[in-house]
């Protein structure tokens, strides 16, 4: 299935931080068991590249992308391992250009009209809105959407099972991202993923 369609089917993108390689398999398995086979594995830790490689080789049922990608070199590495989408906290023109060359969705972070105009110039019409709660949440996204009717949003930062439904109720939300379902033991991850999927479906 096409990457954007895959994400839209679930509407939730888990933001995953692996501190050590031995966490990778149990957590990914828990996500699959919880019915949420999407992972944005973030370049916040040194093992991100290896984790992406393992995820792609050993969890073919999952949609694996790279997050917190802040330069072309990280994007090249992740795409080399087979990442299917790239996410950045801000909008990187060099990463956008690379993703366009490779035909890969790029979800770059934007919180201002100027940043969104840059994203649009690169053909990126899904805007990561981060850190969402600090920048005014839904109210700010709605104000931005008035000027940019063609974009949809991936809000992340401060979202949890408590406010997920409120975000998903707005039709300009492409999907919601966050790390709330990744905390705890694999059993807890499985439960929280299942709960997120249930909220998104309802
Ligand atoms: C991200 O990079 O998208 C965020 O760090 C996720 O935010 P959260 O940890 O508040 O869910």
């Amino acid at each position: 299935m096409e990457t954007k369609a895959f994400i839209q089917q679930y509407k939730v993108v888990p933001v995953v931080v692996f501190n050590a390689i031995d966490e990778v398999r149990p957590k990914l398995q828990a996500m699959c068991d919880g019915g949420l086979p999407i992972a944005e594995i973030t370049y916040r830790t040194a093992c991100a590249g290896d984790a992406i490689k393992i995820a792609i080789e050993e969890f073919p049922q999952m949609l694996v992308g790279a997050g917190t990608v802040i330069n072309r070199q990280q994007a090249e590495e992740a795409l080399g391992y087979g990442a299917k989408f790239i996410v950045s906290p801000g909008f990187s023109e060099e990463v956008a250009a690379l993703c366009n060359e490779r035909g890969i969705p790029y979800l770059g972070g934007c919180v201002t009209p100027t940043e969104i105009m840059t994203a649009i110039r690169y053909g990126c019409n899904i805007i990561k809105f981060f850190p969402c709660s600090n920048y005014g949440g839904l109210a700010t996204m709605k104000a931005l959407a008035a000027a940019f009717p063609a974009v949809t949003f991936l809000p992340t930062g401060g979202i949890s099972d408590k406010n997920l439904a409120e975000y998903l109720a707005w039709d300009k939300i492409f999907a919601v991202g966050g790390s709330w379902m990744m905390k705890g033991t694999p059993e807890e991850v499985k439960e929280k993923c299942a709960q997120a999927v249930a909220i998104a479906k309802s």
Side-chain angles (χ1 to χ4, degrees):
M1 192 190 289
E2 200 251 335
T3 298
K4 290 180 189 172
F6 195 105
I7 295 174
Q8 282 209 289
Q9 205 192 334
Y10 293 92
K11 292 266 182 195
V12 177
V13 178
V15 175
V16 186
V17 182
F18 287 122
N19 291 303
I21 284 299
D22 61 4
E23 295 172 4
V24 176
R25 292 176 183 89
K27 285 221 165 156
L28 295 178
Q29 189 58 52
M31 296 165 79
C32 293
D33 293 345
L36 188 48
I38 302 178
E40 175 197 323
I41 298 177
T42 57
Y43 272 85
R44 292 181 197 185
T45 53
C47 64
D50 290 335
I52 290 170
K53 189 167 183 282
I54 291 170
I56 285 164
E57 285 174 1
E58 299 182 24
F59 294 83
Q61 71 275 41
M62 293 192 87
L63 180 73
V64 180
T68 322
V69 170
I70 60 168
N71 55 45
R72 183 173 172 119
Q73 190 203 329
Q74 289 172 335
E76 292 260 21
E77 178 182 273
L79 295 177
Y81 290 139
K84 292 287 190 298
F85 62 96
I86 301 286
V87 185
S88 299
F91 193 87
S92 164
E93 296 187 46
E94 63 177 11
V95 174
L98 176 68
C99 289
N100 283 347
E101 277 166 31
R102 306 279 176 89
I104 292 285
Y106 176 52
L107 300 97
C110 302
V111 293
T112 66
T114 304
E115 290 162 354
I116 294 176
M117 285 164 65
T118 304
I120 290 171
R121 185 153 55 82
Y122 280 91
C124 300
N125 54 11
I126 303 169
I127 303 297
K128 173 172 159 117
F129 187 71
F130 167 80
C132 174
S133 54
N134 305 71
Y135 279 98
L138 267 180
T140 303
M141 282 186 284
K142 284 183 179 175
L144 290 166
F148 304 108
V151 309
T152 56
F153 293 90
L154 174 78
T156 76
I159 300 175
S160 71
D161 55 314
K162 308 278 182 297
N163 54 8
L164 173 61
E166 192 192 330
Y167 281 98
L168 290 176
W170 185 39
D171 63 355
K172 296 280 180 170
I173 298 293
F174 170 73
V176 162
S179 63
W180 79 90
M181 76 298 278
M182 296 309 302
K183 312 226 157 82
T185 64
E187 194 51 40
E188 287 162 339
V189 170
K190 176 184 160 185
E191 272 167 36
K192 283 186 270 189
C193 284
Q195 182 196 36
V197 170
I199 294 172
K201 290 223 163 96
S202 69

